[in-house]
């Protein structure tokens, strides 16, 4: 009898232990933001390297449209231009992205910045029509969002997806021959990608190719 | 222990609601459970209101629940939804990791989940995950902040709750822009856990240690409201505050010349869209959309703040 009580008590003592698994809280220091983001960055940079020649450049070649042709299409409205030449991810209210190539004259430039830029006049009226973002810091996610093979669902979360956008921007910037010196008044030929949210916005193009020409 | 309690609670729930559910299914298209964080934050209230309104319009019954950012509570609510035979769950979840299991349980019970605002770490178990394009929005907010700061000066960043991906992504978007300006110096960076009270307290302390600050960029609007109240109390209405969400409170502050800018997340529309996709999925077996979807954010300044109402921007007329 005593034994039964004892083993009963023992079972009672053991039961909670068997039913609960003690899971330690992860040490927040083990996964510090910096470490996690470095890993993401490295992984996304590798992803971009692996897909640049095989997937990114072919998409650009396939969807490239001459700047003048694109302007004419835009005159019919942003959605019309988008249907004709644009790329965008599925989902509600995603803006259009375009790939254009063209030649223009540099009207303004800021080349000594981490976010280097050139303003370019495309229709010889002296006013800038587009901005070329030379980087290495490039605004926006046009490169990523123009790629039909890039699907948000395939990525862990927004943070990884943002690192992908940045890695693509950096890869585009790294592939450019950076112009130097006084470029104002020089001609520039380019192929690049940009997002357009409203027809009246100035395209802020992420070039994958630029070539400076002689002063006309 | 919590498992036992959960089972007991769901047992209770089953017993208590079975008759009601049968009645509901006989008349309507079924029950949609809407689970969000606390309605104390108007952002989450707008989600719940938007989702409920759309669900009722489409002929569903609704069950609105609040998990208070407590994963255990959320887990119980998923069990309640399962027990009550919900046809779909709309959820702004209580944590990217902790929410995977309940969404999976709902899926195993044949109930599709449609997530809004926050992602979970795993894809393939929810039908939709519709989130604001926080990275794009944060870059918009940061550009405005940089311009307001005149590209220089000491500033503070108030971060959201660490377990929430949105806290990290907004901070990343802010810094991708701000860190390009070497004359902008971050003198303090602290989490105020999305909370107005904590925003107030943290701001008070930071201000004492750094009286020279010129700006505060916040991961959401409730923290911005808290920070602004602390700055006002200290007579420091010269400090530039920028928020994120697009709440009516911050709108009013912007129009009154207080907080300078925020970034609108289309929370109301997002919640409605989730219900529409749930309806589409229930009727046709597919939403026609990829699981994870981003919705662009809009910068709110004194120029357009007047058109903002309950997390939606009216068209300019």
């Amino acid at each position: 009898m005593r034994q039964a009580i004892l083993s009963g008590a023992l079972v009672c003592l053991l039961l909670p232990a068997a039913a609960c698994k003690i899971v330690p809280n992860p040490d927040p220091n083990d996964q510090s933001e910096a470490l996690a983001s470095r890993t993401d960055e490295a992984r996304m940079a590798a992803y971009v390297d692996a897909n640049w020649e095989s997937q990114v450049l072919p998409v650009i070649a396939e969807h490239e449209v001459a700047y003048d042709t694109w302007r004419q299409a835009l005159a019919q409205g942003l959605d019309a231009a988008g249907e004709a030449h644009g790329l965008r991810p599925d989902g509600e209210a995603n803006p259009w992205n375009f790939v254009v190539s063209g030649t223009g004259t540099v009207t303004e430039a800021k080349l000594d910045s981490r976010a280097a830029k050139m303003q370019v006049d495309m229709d010889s009226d002296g006013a800038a029509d587009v901005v070329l973002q030379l980087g290495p810091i490039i605004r926006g996610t046009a490169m990523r969002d123009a790629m039909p093979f890039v699907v948000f669902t395939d990525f862990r979360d927004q943070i990884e997806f943002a690192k992908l956008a940045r890695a693509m921007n950096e890869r585009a910037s790294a592939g450019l021959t950076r112009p130097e010196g006084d470029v104002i008044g020089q001609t520039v030929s380019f192929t690049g990608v940009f997002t357009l949210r409203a027809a009246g916005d100035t395209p802020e193009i992420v070039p994958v190719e630029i070539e400076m020409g002689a002063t006309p | 222990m919590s498992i036992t309690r959960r089972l007991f609670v769901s047992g209770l729930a089953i017993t208590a609601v079975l008759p009601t559910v049968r009645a509901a299914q006989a008349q309507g298209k079924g029950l949609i459970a809407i689970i969000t964080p606390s309605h104390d934050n108007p952002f989450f209230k707008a989600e719940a209101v938007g989702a409920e309104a759309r669900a009722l319009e489409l002929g569903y019954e609704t069950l609105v629940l609040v998990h208070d950012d407590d994963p255990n509570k959320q887990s119980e609510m998923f069990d309640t939804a399962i027990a009550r035979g919900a046809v779909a769950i709309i959820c702004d979840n209580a944590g990217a990791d902790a929410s995977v299991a309940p969404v999976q349980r709902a899926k195993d019970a044949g109930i599709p989940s449609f997530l809004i605002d926050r992602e979970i770490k795993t894809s393939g178990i929810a039908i939709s995950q519709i989130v604001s394009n926080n990275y794009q929005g944060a870059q918009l907010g940061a550009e405005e902040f940089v311009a307001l700061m005149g590209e220089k000066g000491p500033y503070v960043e108030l971060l959201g709750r660490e377990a929430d991906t949105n806290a990290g992504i907004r901070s990343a978007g802010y810094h991708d822009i701000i860190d390009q300006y070497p004359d902008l110096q971050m003198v303090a960076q602290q989490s105020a856990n999305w909370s107005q009270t904590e925003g107030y307290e943290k701001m008070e302390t930071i201000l004492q240690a750094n009286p020279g600050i010129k700006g505060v960029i916040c991961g959401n609007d409730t923290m911005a409201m808290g920070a602004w109240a602390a700055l006002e109390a200290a007579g420091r209405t010269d400090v530039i505050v920028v928020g994120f969400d697009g709440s009516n409170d911050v709108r009013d502050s912007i129009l009154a010349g207080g907080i300078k800018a925020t970034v609108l997340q289309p929370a109301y529309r997002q919640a409605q869209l989730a219900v529409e996709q749930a309806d589409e999925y229930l009727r046709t077996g597919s939403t026609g959309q990829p699981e994870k979807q981003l919705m662009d954010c809009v910068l709110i300044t004194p120029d357009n703040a007047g058109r903002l109402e309950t997390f939606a921007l009216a068209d300019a007329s």
Side-chain angles (χ1 to χ4, degrees):
Chain A
M1 189 60 197
R2 195 137 122 243
Q3 211 171 10
I5 292 172
L6 261 180
S7 53
L10 204 63
V11 168
C12 288
L13 272 174
L14 285 176
L15 253 184
C20 299
K21 193 175 157 198
I22 295 166
V23 182
N25 285 328
D27 180 359
N29 296 321
D30 282 353
Q31 295 179 321
S32 72
E33 192 119 272
L35 188 67
S37 59
R38 247 202 313 280
T39 315
D40 278 355
E41 272 159 23
R43 208 174 45 253
M44 289 302 102
Y47 176 89
V48 172
D49 278 341
N51 290 289
W52 192 259
E53 306 275 341
S54 60
Q55 300 223 58
V56 177
L57 295 183
V59 168
I60 287 173
E62 187 189 338
H63 294 273
E64 180 182 333
V65 53
Y67 178 82
D68 292 340
T69 312
W70 174 76
R71 262 297 164 202
Q72 283 158 22
L74 189 66
Q76 311 301 310
L78 179 53
D79 276 328
E83 297 295 344
H85 306 292
L87 292 156
R88 66 176 174 187
D90 290 333
E92 185 169 287
N94 277 312
W96 287 107
N97 301 282
F98 298 93
V99 185
V100 296
S101 58
T103 302
T105 308
V106 179
T107 60
E108 213 179 307
K110 192 176 166 193
L111 300 179
D112 57 354
S113 161
R114 291 271 299 153
K117 283 175 188 172
M118 291 194 301
Q119 269 81 347
V120 181
D121 171 19
M122 300 299 293
D123 52 12
S124 310
D125 65 352
D129 302 294
V130 303
V131 175
L132 298 182
Q133 300 196 65
L134 306 179
I137 302 284
I138 284 172
R139 192 188 158 200
T141 55
M143 282 295 305
R144 179 195 72 193
D145 295 341
M147 297 297 136
F149 67 90
V150 172
V151 179
F152 180 29
T153 308
D154 298 340
F155 294 84
R156 188 196 65 226
D157 57 23
Q158 295 174 75
I159 293 177
E160 189 181 67
F161 203 49
K163 299 289 180 211
L164 170 64
R166 206 169 153 166
M168 291 188 79
N169 287 346
E170 279 167 4
R171 173 69 197 240
S173 175
L176 300 177
T177 311
R178 296 280 294 264
E180 285 173 10
D182 185 11
V183 293
I184 293 171
Q186 286 190 31
T187 58
V188 57
S189 300
F190 62 85
T191 300
V193 182
F194 62 96
T195 304
L196 202 71
R197 291 194 159 76
D201 289 355
T202 302
E204 295 190 357
I205 299 171
V206 184
V208 292
E209 218 178 278
I210 55 167
E211 204 187 325
M212 302 304 293
T215 312
Chain B
M1 213 47 200
S2 87
I3 293 173
T4 326
R5 201 173 91 219
R6 199 189 302 141
L7 282 177
F8 178 63
V9 169
S10 28
L12 270 187
I14 294 172
T15 338
V17 299
L18 263 182
T20 345
V21 170
R22 224 175 285 125
Q25 279 174 344
Q27 330 160 340
K29 290 160 85 176
L31 180 75
I32 291 187
I34 299 161
I35 308 174
T36 70
S38 164
H39 295 186
D40 288 351
N41 183 335
F43 181 87
F44 302 122
K45 186 171 183 194
E47 286 180 341
V49 170
E52 179 167 43
R54 198 76 188 103
L56 294 173
E57 276 166 24
L58 291 170
Y60 295 91
E61 313 237 333
T62 57
L63 172 67
V64 177
L65 300 168
V66 171
H67 60 53
D68 288 327
D69 281 316
D70 176 350
N72 293 325
K73 220 162 160 183
Q74 172 180 263
S75 186
E76 286 167 13
M77 284 166 178
F78 267 75
D79 290 334
T80 303
I82 294 167
R84 288 194 52 176
V87 293
I89 296 172
I90 310 290
C91 177
D92 188 343
N93 72 73
D97 290 312
S99 303
V100 171
V103 172
Q104 180 71 52
R105 268 205 318 282
K107 187 187 182 203
D108 294 344
I111 303 170
S113 296
F114 300 80
L115 308 183
I116 50 175
D117 178 40
R118 301 172 182 168
E119 298 160 78
I120 55 171
K121 281 276 161 73
T122 311
S123 54
I125 53 174
I127 301 302
S128 294
Q129 299 192 50
I130 313 174
V131 298
S132 300
N133 196 341
N134 287 285
Y135 185 65
Q136 170 261 347
Q139 292 196 327
L140 283 179
E143 281 168 355
E144 184 67 13
F145 184 70
V146 167
L148 288 162
M149 294 283 289
E151 304 187 2
K152 59 175 187 288
Y155 75 96
V156 173
E157 181 184 6
L158 290 182
L159 299 160
R161 206 163 55 90
E162 215 176 326
D164 188 341
T165 307
N166 288 342
I169 186 68
R170 287 179 202 160
S171 186
Y174 286 160
H175 285 282
D176 275 1
I177 299 294
I178 297 174
D179 294 356
Q180 294 172 49
Y181 299 88
D183 296 335
L184 281 166
Q185 297 130 1
M186 185 166 72
V187 293
Q189 182 185 43
Q190 285 190 34
S191 173
N193 291 308
W194 304 132
S195 146
Q196 187 155 342
T197 328
E198 278 189 56
Y200 185 96
E201 288 161 0
K202 292 277 160 74
M203 193 69 250
E204 231 179 4
T205 319
I206 292 169
L207 196 57
Q208 277 162 15
N210 307 277
I213 58 162
K214 201 174 141 191
V216 184
I217 192 158
C218 306
N220 82 345
D221 273 357
T222 43
M223 296 191 296
M225 287 300 289
W228 179 250
L231 289 163
E232 262 189 323
R236 289 299 307 278
T237 51
D238 59 305
V239 177
I240 292 153
V241 178
V242 169
F244 197 109
D245 278 345
S247 72
N248 286 359
D249 289 342
V250 166
R251 170 201 66 193
D252 293 343
S253 180
I254 290 173
L255 291 173
I259 291 170
K260 293 291 179 292
T262 187
V263 176
L264 168 67
Q265 303 191 64
Y268 192 83
R269 175 67 199 133
Q270 196 167 93
Q272 295 214 312
L273 186 61
V275 173
E276 286 164 21
Q277 291 188 5
D279 181 56
E280 182 76 19
Y281 179 82
L282 291 170
R283 286 187 297 106
T284 69
S286 163
T287 66
Q289 298 289 338
E291 176 185 334
K292 283 171 66 161
Q293 305 156 47
L294 291 171
M295 289 179 83
D296 265 13
C297 302
V298 182
L299 181 71
I300 302 294
T301 64
D303 293 343
N304 60 0
R307 292 192 277 119
L308 179 62
E309 176 59 49
T310 320
F311 300 96
L313 192 66
D315 289 332
S317 51

